[in-house]
Amino acid sequence: QVQVVESGGGLVQAGGSLTLSCAASGSIVSINTMGWYRQAPGKQRELVATITRGGSTTYADSVKGRFTISRDNAKNTIVLKMNSLKPEDTAVYYCKVLPYNTWGQGTQVTVSS
């Protein structure tokens, strides 16, 4: 069984920055792609960014140029550095670990105007 824990959320003013972390633990054999998703009130959960074990990244159009995803394979963690935050970024952010079918509890990010 694999557990995922997200952390680092909080309240920040528009234009500010936050760094989110995701740590995977438990019965891990190997981790391939890891990703960040977010879900705002009244909206579908959406993909924010992904990173493969080899370091290839993808970003949603809405966050390109502002967010950066990275990973530490030895620690089974990923980090999402978020800059130039907008109120539209307000959401609960979740971490996904492949090939394992698991989600963490999420971490709340709130960006004020």
Side-chain angles (χ1 to χ4, degrees), residues 3-66:
Q3 295 80 44
V4 174
V5 178
E6 303 96 338
S7 62
L11 194 157
V12 65
Q13 296 180 23
S17 300
L18 282 175
T19 299
L20 307 183
S21 296
C22 170
S25 62
S27 302
I28 297 173
V29 177
S30 64
I31 296 176
N32 295 319
T33 299
M34 300 180 73
W36 285 98
Y37 293 73
R38 67 186 182 186
Q39 187 164 20
K43 299 189 69 176
Q44 297 290 115
R45 187 170 298 187
E46 64 177 352
L47 181 65
V48 176
T50 65
I51 184 166
T52 68
R53 186 167 184 84
S56 297
T57 60
T58 64
Y59 296 93
D61 289 341
S62 59
V63 306
K64 286 180 179 177
R66 300 188 297 119

Side-chain angles (χ1 to χ4, degrees), residues 59-98:
Y59 296 93
D61 289 341
S62 59
V63 306
K64 286 180 179 177
R66 300 188 297 119
F67 292 8
T68 302
I69 188 171
S70 61
R71 67 187 290 168
D72 185 332
N73 292 331
K75 298 179 180 179
N76 292 324
T77 62
I78 56 170
V79 172
L80 185 69
K81 297 180 179 179
M82 306 185 295
N83 298 317
S84 302
L85 283 163
K86 305 175 181 179
E88 304 91 272
D89 296 317
T90 296
V92 178
Y93 284 70
Y94 298 91
C95 179
K96 181 69 173 179
V97 178
L98 274 63

